[in-house]
Structure formats: C-alpha cells, structure tokens
Amino acid sequence: MNKEYRYEPVIGLEVHAQLLTNTKIFCGCSAKFGAAPNTNVCPVCLGHPGVLPVLNERVVEFAMKMGFAVNCSINQKSIIARKNYFYPDSPKGYQISQFELPVCENGHVIVSLKDKEPKKIRIKRIHIEEDAGKSVHDLPYGTGIDLNRCGTPLIEIVTEPDISSAEEAAAYMMKIRQLVQYLGICDGNMEEGSLRCDANVSIRPRGSETLGTKTEIKNMNSFRNVEKAILFEINRQHEILEDGGSIIQQTLLWDADAEEARPMRSKEEAHDYRYFPDPDLLPVIISDSWLSSVRESLPELPASYIDRFTNVFGLPVYDAEVLTQEKSIATYFDEVCKFTTDYKSASNWIMGEVMRILKEQKIEICSFPITAEALAELINLCQNNTISIKIAREVFGYMIVEKKTAGQIVKEKQLVQLSDEGAIRTIIAEILTKFPNELEELKSGKEKVFGFFVGQIMKETKGKANPQVVNTVLRAMVTEL
Ligand code: ADP
Ligand code: MG
Ligand code: ZN
C-alpha cells in the first residue's frame, strides 16, 4: 500500500507577527527596523536591575484586532508571564510573554484550496510577547549582538493541530498574512522576518485518533519554504516509521539552500520554562468600552471585500479572491471602479496586465506608474469603442514608459479606432483586388480565407480597424461578390 495512504500528516503552526507600533512593548524605545546596532535601547529593554516595564496599550489593541478577525473570544483579563530560558540575545534571562491566560482564545479561520472543500483551522490562542535581540555572526571579529529588536512587540498565533498538508499550511499562512495586512497591525513580510512561522509536524496511521511524536521546524522565511520544509519533514518521518524506527521529539532548522531540515536541539521535556506571572506587570484588564471601541474600529476585512466585489461589482468569486489577496490591490481596484462602470474589464486589466508588470518589475502597486484613474480612462476608451482591446494593450505599454494618459497617447500616436463603414469598405475593396487567388477561394466559399482577409485588413490599418465592423462589412461584401 502507498505510504501516502497509510499515514496522515498532522500539523500545528505557531506564527509570530511583529506589530507595527511606534514604540516597543514595555518601554518608549522606537520599534523601527533598520537603525544602527544597539541604538534603540534603554535600561528597560536591556534588562537592567531595578527598572519597571510599562505595557504599551497599542499592543493589546492590535492583539484584540487580530482576535476579532479570526473569531476568537477575547479575555477581558489576561496575565503576563515570564518564560525563563537563557539565550545570548535575551539580556534578562527570560522573555516576557503570556502563558495561562492569553489575550485571545478559541478562534478559527477557513482556508480554501483549489478543488477542495473549505477547511476550518482552529486557533487555540493569540498572546502578546516581546521579541529577542539578534546575534550577528559574520563580523570580522566574530559574533556581535544587536539588541535593537529586544522588546519589539509580537503576537503569537497558535493553531490546534488541524492542518493536514504542507499546502494547507502555506494557505493558512497566506490567510494570516492577508489578515494582519488588512488590519494594518503587521507588514506581513516573511523575508524580513516580520512574519515568522514555526511548524509542528507529526504523522499518524490514517484513521488513528492519537497524535504522533512531533518535531518543530524553524527558520522558514517564505511561503514556498514553509511548504517545502513541511513536505521534507513529512517524508523524513515516513521513512523512519517505514523502517521500523521512531520519531525523536526535536527542533529542526530549515536550510533553504540545501533544502533540508537539520536538528538544532532535542527536547526531552516539553515545558522547562518555569513560567510564572510577571511580578512587575499587572494583569491586563480590557474594559467593556475598550473592547467595543476596538471592535467598531476594525477596518473592512477580506471577506467583506469579496462580498462587495461579487455582489456590487458582479465579479466572479475567482476574480474577487485574486483581487483581495493584497489589500493594496483591492483598494486599487475599488479606486478604478470610481472612474469606470466596466468592472469586469477593470478586474481583467488588474489581474492580467497590471499584475504581470508588478511581477516583472518586482514592485508593489503603490509604485505602479499608472494611477487608478488613468487605468479607468484607458478602460473607458475601450468601452466606448474609441480604441480596440488590442490597441489598448499597446497604449498600456506606452503609459508605463511615457507616463502620459491614455487619451494623450491615443491622440499623439493617432490610434483612434476606425469604425467608419464607408472607409473600411474602401480599404477592403483594395485588399480584395490585391489577392486575386485568395479572392477566388473566398468566392467558392472557403471559410479559412475569410480569416486571412480580416488579418490583411487589420495589418493594413495597423490594428486600428474596428474588428466587429470589419467582420460585418466583409461578410456583406462576400455575399455581394
Ligand atoms: P509545545 O509545548 O511543544 O510548544 P504545544 O502543545 O504548545 O507544544 O503546541 C504547539 C503547537 O504544536 C500547536 O500549534 C499545536 O497545535 C501543535 N501540536 C501539538 N502536538 C502536535 C502533534 N503531535 N503533531 C503536530 N502538531 C502538534
Ligand atoms: Mg512551541
Ligand atoms: Zn527600551
């Protein structure tokens, strides 16, 4: 029997999202990325004795927002705890986090994979915590430590072990990135580490209810790597079990270049962190009014955009999903639709030409040279038959390079579509006489030659003839022959 059928993968993800607050979680230092090493630090985030941390309210607010977005219940009282472990980039010897009572619990998201039923993935908890600093290894004199990131605010989003494939894990990550970006609480950049993911992976005989021994993979900095690393680990575990071996609970590091996961440390005991409530920090109390004001301040979320795009603009669900993957694209589409009523064309242009350019030039829509209004103008020129779709693609190309409006380009390059029947008739008559052999074939009813003549006419008019008019007039002329 195929091993794919004998075993089923069980995956749980722990996702860390770096929050876009101005200051750190327990002090007033800037939380901005990219400053010179050890410049955004103070006695609090350096863990000097005698200092008192003060909780940044924005961090709780952002955690609440995420909680609402993934259907969690919000604990109006939660506890801040110390997680004790030694690591060189963590000067206090412990990390301030949450353990027993996190800000949010018991949520879920739905992920949809192509050709599969939508899948519900339960979220166990979302807690707030501080980030650690960074060891910088490739310095000429050895390893240095940059503590700028110490005390940068994070939320950790932990799923139940509900994910059953590498593909589903990547789709879940994309969903989380989409939500944090819409909420504006994290930039969602996996390459830069502002969205990080640890994957817990085990396999078990299909149909079994008990969980197998898990390993935890760290250090995947893209969706592709999340998927690859989990696949690698599922296969590795399969092979061990097939050979009659057993899985060792351990932490693995994903090496993206070698495309393999290697052991980092083994974990004999699951919990040796000696969590206890931080004596310097009071329980976090969320009042009814704070809770409801955060709920009311939530921005429009992807589900609502999809609803609007399908119901108000009449787009297919597929279009709506592609357009809402990134909030900036969704708002660009919204903006285009303020200036045109041809919504489906707007969607086609954005999903096709616009996204192609973004990919080619590796840019975001905010640096895309054509404004929403300018794209709408191009769409309208097509819709009212001033130019054909073929010419419109050409104009689009000019718009990107020349930074002029579609109207200007059409005028300057004399690209207005030729729709005048009389003029087209004259051109057709000339072309018919140019190709006497093909004309004979056309007369004898050969349909293929019809296309040949349409092509010649378009060539003669440099693509400017209105194809519909060309078709009708040529058809009429053929019957007159
Ligand atoms: P740990 O104490 O090792 O961090 P947790 O129970 O807190 O373990 O779970 C961490 C993550 O691992 C969660 O996302 C959870 O769903 C997942 N998980 C727990 N047990 C397993 C398992 N046997 N296989 C796969 N994932 C698991
Ligand atoms: Mg863990
Ligand atoms: Zn500080």
Side-chain angles (χ1 to χ4, degrees):
M1 197 206 263
N2 190 320
K3 64 181 181 182
E4 305 297 331
Y5 290 104
R6 249 205 316 248
Y7 292 101
E8 90 179 311
V10 175
I11 301 153
L13 295 187
E14 297 164 285
V15 175
H16 290 90
Q18 224 171 65
L19 300 179
L20 289 169
T21 55
N22 294 323
T23 55
K24 293 187 179 178
I25 182 169
F26 298 116
C27 62
C29 291
S30 166
K32 231 187 163 75
F33 174 81
N38 300 307
T39 54
N40 289 339
V41 290
C42 74
V44 174
C45 54
L46 291 176
H48 288 192
V51 296
L52 274 182
V54 178
L55 177 61
N56 180 346
E57 279 191 11
R58 294 284 275 179
V59 174
V60 182
E61 183 192 316
F62 283 7
M64 274 194 262
K65 283 188 170 175
M66 190 61 185
F68 283 127
V70 299
N71 315 290
C72 280
S73 50
I74 312 285
N75 290 323
Q76 287 183 256
K77 178 181 176 180
S78 69
I79 307 291
I80 300 202
R82 289 188 185 178
K83 181 180 183 180
N84 298 282
Y85 62 94
F86 173 78
Y87 216 71
D89 55 17
S90 168
K92 292 196 299 295
Y94 59 87
Q95 178 193 22
I96 308 181
S97 180
Q98 293 195 294
F99 184 53
E100 260 155 321
L101 263 181
V103 176
C104 315
E105 283 180 294
N106 304 324
H108 69 266
V109 292
I110 310 279
V111 299
S112 308
L113 287 182
K114 211 165 163 245
D115 304 326
K116 295 227 171 97
E117 288 288 301
K119 170 92 181 265
K120 182 173 176 173
I121 292 164
R122 289 170 301 155
I123 287 170
K124 189 165 156 182
R125 54 187 279 142
I126 302 174
H127 64 253
I128 57 175
E129 62 184 25
E130 59 177 353
D131 207 345
K134 260 184 196 165
S135 298
V136 186
H137 294 295
D138 45 11
L139 297 173
Y141 50 84
T143 292
I145 291 184
D146 177 6
L147 296 175
N148 281 345
R149 210 178 62 180
C150 261
T152 296
L154 303 175
I155 50 174
E156 179 173 339
I157 307 154
V158 185
T159 74
E160 295 289 351
D162 286 353
I163 299 167
S164 359
S165 70
E167 211 187 352
E168 230 173 78
Y172 167 82
M173 274 305 280
M174 278 186 221
K175 191 92 220 169
I176 295 297
R177 183 182 68 157
Q178 187 192 37
L179 289 172
V180 295
Q181 286 180 336
Y182 273 75
L183 291 167
I185 62 172
C186 167
D187 66 25
N189 191 327
M190 289 192 76
E191 280 78 11
E192 284 178 9
S194 33
L195 191 67
R196 310 197 284 268
C197 157
D198 300 340
N200 297 269
V201 180
S202 67
I203 58 175
R204 65 181 170 194
R206 208 160 274 281
S208 158
E209 292 287 316
T210 47
L211 293 172
T213 303
K214 72 176 166 84
T215 58
E216 186 173 347
I217 324 168
K218 291 182 179 289
N219 198 34
M220 299 153 288
N221 63 355
S222 70
F223 295 109
R224 251 180 88 70
N225 276 320
V226 169
E227 205 170 327
K228 276 190 185 169
I230 294 175
L231 263 183
F232 172 91
E233 182 54 12
I234 291 170
N235 284 329
R236 192 187 68 91
Q237 293 188 14
H238 266 136
E239 277 170 26
I240 292 174
L241 293 190
E242 290 286 270
D243 289 348
S246 53
I247 308 299
I248 305 165
Q249 182 175 335
Q250 60 185 345
T251 303
L252 307 162
L253 264 192
W254 176 245
D255 179 338
D257 295 326
E259 299 204 350
E260 60 180 30
R262 284 195 295 267
M264 183 169 107
R265 56 172 180 252
S266 77
K267 235 183 184 179
E268 267 74 47
E269 269 178 289
H271 291 292
D272 50 2
Y273 295 124
R274 321 241 162 170
Y275 282 97
F276 63 87
D278 193 308
D280 290 340
L281 286 151
L282 293 169
V284 182
I285 305 294
I286 299 169
S287 67
D288 292 345
S289 62
W290 191 16
L291 190 72
S292 53
S293 79
V294 171
R295 188 192 283 123
E296 277 150 29
S297 75
L298 286 179
E300 187 179 4
L301 293 176
S304 158
Y305 274 91
I306 288 178
D307 191 55
R308 243 172 3 88
F309 288 0
T310 51
N311 293 320
V312 180
F313 295 133
L315 295 187
V317 176
Y318 174 80
D319 290 40
E321 282 187 350
V322 173
L323 293 172
T324 51
Q325 196 57 52
E326 305 232 3
K327 185 179 185 175
S328 52
I329 302 269
T331 53
Y332 184 82
F333 172 75
D334 254 339
E335 193 65 18
V336 174
C337 292
K338 284 188 192 152
F339 302 99
T340 181
T341 51
D342 192 353
Y343 309 129
K344 179 59 181 142
S345 290
S347 165
N348 291 347
W349 276 98
I350 296 173
M351 294 196 306
E353 302 294 295
V354 176
M355 288 192 170
R356 180 175 60 79
I357 299 284
L358 298 184
K359 214 169 165 182
E360 271 175 21
Q361 304 193 356
K362 296 195 174 69
I363 53 170
E364 302 285 326
I365 191 91
C366 57
S367 2
F368 183 63
I370 302 176
T371 65
E373 190 175 354
L375 182 66
E377 183 192 337
L378 178 67
I379 293 166
N380 291 336
L381 287 175
C382 266
Q383 198 194 16
N384 65 25
N385 280 321
T386 306
I387 54 174
S388 67
I389 182 73
K390 193 164 163 285
I391 294 289
R393 288 205 190 96
E394 214 176 292
V395 174
F396 179 85
Y398 288 126
M399 285 169 80
I400 289 187
V401 186
E402 300 185 6
K403 317 229 160 31
K404 288 180 185 159
T405 69
Q408 283 171 328
I409 290 163
V410 168
K411 210 167 142 194
E412 276 177 24
K413 305 204 187 292
Q414 301 181 347
L415 295 171
V416 173
Q417 177 158 261
L418 181 61
S419 298
D420 181 75
E421 283 191 26
I424 287 178
R425 187 173 269 270
T426 315
I427 297 166
I428 295 179
E430 273 172 30
I431 287 173
L432 288 179
T433 56
K434 248 194 195 163
F435 297 96
N437 294 343
E438 285 78 3
L439 181 59
E440 281 312 308
E441 289 179 333
L442 188 63
K443 279 185 188 164
S444 67
K446 260 199 181 165
E447 260 308 299
K448 258 208 216 148
V449 205
F450 190 86
F452 165 78
F453 277 108
V454 172
Q456 289 301 322
I457 297 153
M458 296 311 287
K459 196 172 153 196
E460 178 68 26
T461 58
K462 300 200 180 68
K464 284 187 285 183
N466 181 328
Q468 266 169 327
V469 180
V470 169
N471 262 283
T472 335
V473 173
L474 183 59
R475 210 37 96 191
M477 288 171 79
V478 170
T479 56
E480 289 162 16
L481 287 171

mmCIF file of all heavy atoms in Angstrom, residues 265-282:
data_model
loop_
_atom_site.group_PDB
_atom_site.id
_atom_site.type_symbol
_atom_site.label_atom_id
_atom_site.label_comp_id
_atom_site.label_asym_id
_atom_site.label_seq_id
_atom_site.Cartn_x
_atom_site.Cartn_y
_atom_site.Cartn_z
ATOM 1 N N ARG A 265 18.161 21.317 18.351
ATOM 2 C CA ARG A 265 18.282 20.841 19.734
ATOM 3 C C ARG A 265 17.179 19.819 19.954
ATOM 4 O O ARG A 265 16.143 19.853 19.297
ATOM 5 C CB ARG A 265 18.142 22.000 20.727
ATOM 6 C CG ARG A 265 16.833 22.781 20.567
ATOM 7 C CD ARG A 265 16.638 23.792 21.676
ATOM 8 N NE ARG A 265 15.370 24.496 21.450
ATOM 9 C CZ ARG A 265 15.273 25.755 21.057
ATOM 10 N NH1 ARG A 265 16.359 26.474 20.837
ATOM 11 N NH2 ARG A 265 14.099 26.304 20.892
ATOM 12 N N SER A 266 17.414 18.887 20.875
ATOM 13 C CA SER A 266 16.339 17.938 21.152
ATOM 14 C C SER A 266 15.693 18.327 22.470
ATOM 15 O O SER A 266 16.295 18.965 23.322
ATOM 16 C CB SER A 266 16.853 16.511 21.175
ATOM 17 O OG SER A 266 17.530 16.290 22.398
ATOM 18 N N LYS A 267 14.454 17.974 22.572
ATOM 19 C CA LYS A 267 13.630 18.497 23.651
ATOM 20 C C LYS A 267 13.149 17.315 24.467
ATOM 21 O O LYS A 267 12.159 16.674 24.132
ATOM 22 C CB LYS A 267 12.420 19.179 22.996
ATOM 23 C CG LYS A 267 12.226 20.625 23.399
ATOM 24 C CD LYS A 267 10.953 21.140 22.731
ATOM 25 C CE LYS A 267 10.736 22.595 22.991
ATOM 26 N NZ LYS A 267 9.545 23.098 22.347
ATOM 27 N N GLU A 268 13.868 16.991 25.532
ATOM 28 C CA GLU A 268 13.458 15.835 26.316
ATOM 29 C C GLU A 268 12.150 16.135 27.050
ATOM 30 O O GLU A 268 11.236 15.347 27.109
ATOM 31 C CB GLU A 268 14.536 15.426 27.327
ATOM 32 C CG GLU A 268 15.480 14.375 26.778
ATOM 33 C CD GLU A 268 16.457 14.955 25.759
ATOM 34 O OE1 GLU A 268 17.039 16.018 26.054
ATOM 35 O OE2 GLU A 268 16.599 14.374 24.668
ATOM 36 N N GLU A 269 12.111 17.342 27.606
ATOM 37 C CA GLU A 269 10.901 17.712 28.342
ATOM 38 C C GLU A 269 10.189 18.822 27.584
ATOM 39 O O GLU A 269 10.828 19.749 27.114
ATOM 40 C CB GLU A 269 11.286 18.249 29.719
ATOM 41 C CG GLU A 269 11.327 17.170 30.779
ATOM 42 C CD GLU A 269 11.761 17.760 32.100
ATOM 43 O OE1 GLU A 269 12.943 18.111 32.220
ATOM 44 O OE2 GLU A 269 10.918 17.895 32.983
ATOM 45 N N ALA A 270 8.885 18.735 27.479
ATOM 46 C CA ALA A 270 8.160 19.731 26.704
ATOM 47 C C ALA A 270 8.262 21.112 27.354
ATOM 48 O O ALA A 270 8.607 22.080 26.710
ATOM 49 C CB ALA A 270 6.708 19.316 26.550
ATOM 50 N N HIS A 271 7.991 21.200 28.635
ATOM 51 C CA HIS A 271 7.987 22.512 29.285
ATOM 52 C C HIS A 271 9.030 22.601 30.384
ATOM 53 O O HIS A 271 8.888 22.035 31.437
ATOM 54 C CB HIS A 271 6.614 22.790 29.904
ATOM 55 C CG HIS A 271 5.563 22.987 28.881
ATOM 56 N ND1 HIS A 271 5.529 24.065 28.037
ATOM 57 C CD2 HIS A 271 4.493 22.228 28.555
ATOM 58 C CE1 HIS A 271 4.497 23.964 27.233
ATOM 59 N NE2 HIS A 271 3.841 22.853 27.519
ATOM 60 N N ASP A 272 10.089 23.333 30.095
ATOM 61 C CA ASP A 272 11.050 23.558 31.166
ATOM 62 C C ASP A 272 11.275 25.059 31.338
ATOM 63 O O ASP A 272 12.328 25.496 31.717
ATOM 64 C CB ASP A 272 12.361 22.828 30.869
ATOM 65 C CG ASP A 272 12.868 23.110 29.473
ATOM 66 O OD1 ASP A 272 12.224 23.905 28.756
ATOM 67 O OD2 ASP A 272 13.913 22.563 29.086
ATOM 68 N N TYR A 273 10.265 25.832 30.984
ATOM 69 C CA TYR A 273 10.429 27.285 31.001
ATOM 70 C C TYR A 273 10.074 27.924 32.343
ATOM 71 O O TYR A 273 10.314 29.095 32.545
ATOM 72 C CB TYR A 273 9.564 27.933 29.910
ATOM 73 C CG TYR A 273 9.989 27.571 28.508
ATOM 74 C CD1 TYR A 273 9.092 26.999 27.622
ATOM 75 C CD2 TYR A 273 11.285 27.820 28.082
ATOM 76 C CE1 TYR A 273 9.468 26.679 26.323
ATOM 77 C CE2 TYR A 273 11.673 27.509 26.784
ATOM 78 C CZ TYR A 273 10.754 26.938 25.916
ATOM 79 O OH TYR A 273 11.138 26.634 24.635
ATOM 80 N N ARG A 274 9.482 27.141 33.240
ATOM 81 C CA ARG A 274 9.116 27.669 34.572
ATOM 82 C C ARG A 274 8.378 28.990 34.466
ATOM 83 O O ARG A 274 8.787 29.995 35.033
ATOM 84 C CB ARG A 274 10.367 27.858 35.430
ATOM 85 C CG ARG A 274 11.342 26.750 35.239
ATOM 86 C CD ARG A 274 11.573 26.026 36.502
ATOM 87 N NE ARG A 274 12.178 24.733 36.191
ATOM 88 C CZ ARG A 274 12.676 23.922 37.088
ATOM 89 N NH1 ARG A 274 12.633 24.254 38.339
ATOM 90 N NH2 ARG A 274 13.170 22.770 36.741
ATOM 91 N N TYR A 275 7.340 28.973 33.679
ATOM 92 C CA TYR A 275 6.522 30.179 33.545
ATOM 93 C C TYR A 275 5.992 30.606 34.913
ATOM 94 O O TYR A 275 5.632 29.760 35.728
ATOM 95 C CB TYR A 275 5.282 29.873 32.706
ATOM 96 C CG TYR A 275 5.494 29.812 31.212
ATOM 97 C CD1 TYR A 275 5.681 28.583 30.570
ATOM 98 C CD2 TYR A 275 5.438 30.970 30.442
ATOM 99 C CE1 TYR A 275 5.827 28.510 29.201
ATOM 100 C CE2 TYR A 275 5.584 30.899 29.057
ATOM 101 C CZ TYR A 275 5.779 29.674 28.447
ATOM 102 O OH TYR A 275 5.916 29.615 27.091
ATOM 103 N N PHE A 276 5.962 31.892 35.177
ATOM 104 C CA PHE A 276 5.200 32.399 36.331
ATOM 105 C C PHE A 276 4.761 33.824 36.031
ATOM 106 O O PHE A 276 5.398 34.508 35.225
ATOM 107 C CB PHE A 276 6.016 32.312 37.628
ATOM 108 C CG PHE A 276 7.266 33.149 37.654
ATOM 109 C CD1 PHE A 276 7.224 34.488 38.060
ATOM 110 C CD2 PHE A 276 8.495 32.599 37.292
ATOM 111 C CE1 PHE A 276 8.378 35.255 38.097
ATOM 112 C CE2 PHE A 276 9.645 33.369 37.315
ATOM 113 C CZ PHE A 276 9.599 34.702 37.727
ATOM 114 N N PRO A 277 3.686 34.285 36.641
ATOM 115 C CA PRO A 277 3.186 35.632 36.363
ATOM 116 C C PRO A 277 4.262 36.668 36.674
ATOM 117 O O PRO A 277 4.938 36.552 37.697
ATOM 118 C CB PRO A 277 2.002 35.784 37.315
ATOM 119 C CG PRO A 277 1.576 34.391 37.619
ATOM 120 C CD PRO A 277 2.840 33.561 37.600
ATOM 121 N N ASP A 278 4.454 37.616 35.782
ATOM 122 C CA ASP A 278 5.496 38.617 35.990
ATOM 123 C C ASP A 278 5.103 39.541 37.145
ATOM 124 O O ASP A 278 4.081 40.224 37.069
ATOM 125 C CB ASP A 278 5.706 39.431 34.707
ATOM 126 C CG ASP A 278 6.988 40.250 34.792
ATOM 127 O OD1 ASP A 278 7.160 40.986 35.798
ATOM 128 O OD2 ASP A 278 7.817 40.161 33.873
ATOM 129 N N PRO A 279 5.910 39.543 38.226
ATOM 130 C CA PRO A 279 5.538 40.352 39.391
ATOM 131 C C PRO A 279 5.583 41.854 39.118
ATOM 132 O O PRO A 279 5.022 42.639 39.881
ATOM 133 C CB PRO A 279 6.589 39.959 40.435
ATOM 134 C CG PRO A 279 7.731 39.379 39.675
ATOM 135 C CD PRO A 279 7.169 38.797 38.423
ATOM 136 N N ASP A 280 6.245 42.265 38.031
ATOM 137 C CA ASP A 280 6.334 43.694 37.715
ATOM 138 C C ASP A 280 5.158 44.190 36.891
ATOM 139 O O ASP A 280 5.039 45.381 36.646
ATOM 140 C CB ASP A 280 7.611 43.977 36.911
ATOM 141 C CG ASP A 280 8.860 43.833 37.753
ATOM 142 O OD1 ASP A 280 8.734 43.890 38.989
ATOM 143 O OD2 ASP A 280 9.940 43.656 37.161
ATOM 144 N N LEU A 281 4.321 43.265 36.412
ATOM 145 C CA LEU A 281 3.257 43.690 35.497
ATOM 146 C C LEU A 281 1.892 43.221 35.990
ATOM 147 O O LEU A 281 1.705 42.042 36.320
ATOM 148 C CB LEU A 281 3.529 43.140 34.092
ATOM 149 C CG LEU A 281 4.668 43.863 33.371
ATOM 150 C CD1 LEU A 281 5.370 42.947 32.382
ATOM 151 C CD2 LEU A 281 4.153 45.114 32.662
ATOM 152 N N LEU A 282 0.958 44.145 36.034
ATOM 153 C CA LEU A 282 -0.402 43.835 36.479
ATOM 154 C C LEU A 282 -1.112 43.001 35.418
ATOM 155 O O LEU A 282 -0.721 43.015 34.253
ATOM 156 C CB LEU A 282 -1.183 45.144 36.676
ATOM 157 C CG LEU A 282 -0.691 46.029 37.815
ATOM 158 C CD1 LEU A 282 -1.351 47.399 37.727
ATOM 159 C CD2 LEU A 282 -0.981 45.364 39.156
#
